[in-house]
Amino acid sequence: MNRGETVLAGVAGLAVIGLIALTAPVIASWVTDSEAAERPSAATTSTHAPAPTDTPLPTSAATATADPGDGEYQAVGDGLVIPAQGSGGCSTWAAIHPYGDHDPSARLRGTITGLGSRSFATGTVGLDDDGQIATYTVASGDTGYGIGDRLCIDYITLLAYNGKFAPPNEIQPGDVLILRP
């Protein structure tokens, strides 16, 4: 094989690998959907009241068939639907909407629940005058996901609201995150 044929074969191989990587999530969702059809529905296995099902969902291809009451998504009010995530024991999740960097129109949707210190979230919780969780002071080793899991709040909206979502502005020990806009 000459040099040109070798390069062509390599490029073709990379293209095939790329196509496989692009189709893997679609295939995985088919498998997950078929497995979900064999399991009892979330409505029959849930230990808490299901979220309202009349809230519109995001229209991306990945979420177009999701139901906010099916355990994968949760409606938190005003048409905002967030992924039901985490394993911290949260029965509901809160989110800050809209979540621009200290956006004055932002509102907390849902209820923040403090579940106590845990791996990747050992910082200090601050309370407001009404005794509700209002701030979180980041400790060494904390992660956005860990904080979200500890406080039952969507960590993406929390970090984005506090301007700490992407480098170089990631959370650092001592940062005080505002939880209630």
Side-chain angles (χ1 to χ4, degrees), residues 70-168:
D70 72 0
E72 291 182 38
Y73 293 88
Q74 171 193 326
V76 292
D78 291 340
L80 179 63
V81 178
I82 61 172
Q85 58 191 339
S87 58
C90 300
S91 60
T92 63
W93 285 84
I96 297 173
H97 181 69
Y99 51 85
D101 187 7
H102 288 285
D103 183 340
S105 68
R107 299 289 179 261
L108 177 68
R109 305 294 184 218
T111 304
I112 296 173
T113 306
L115 299 177
S117 183
R118 58 192 53 223
S119 298
F120 308 113
T122 60
T124 306
V125 172
L127 304 177
D128 63 12
D129 293 337
D130 297 326
Q132 295 182 329
I133 298 170
T135 62
Y136 181 86
T137 303
V138 178
S140 179
D142 283 0
T143 65
Y145 182 83
I147 296 166
D149 195 43
R150 173 181 175 176
L151 300 174
C152 301
I153 187 168
D154 178 62
Y155 78 98
I156 294 172
T157 63
L158 169 65
L159 294 179
Y161 177 74
N162 284 277
K164 300 290 186 179
F165 191 69

Side-chain angles (χ1 to χ4, degrees), residues 17-44:
I17 291 170
L19 289 173
I20 291 170
L22 288 173
T23 59
V26 173
I27 293 169
S29 71
W30 289 340
V31 171
T32 303
D33 289 346
S34 67
E35 289 173 358
E38 297 170 6
R39 291 190 306 253
S41 73
T44 62

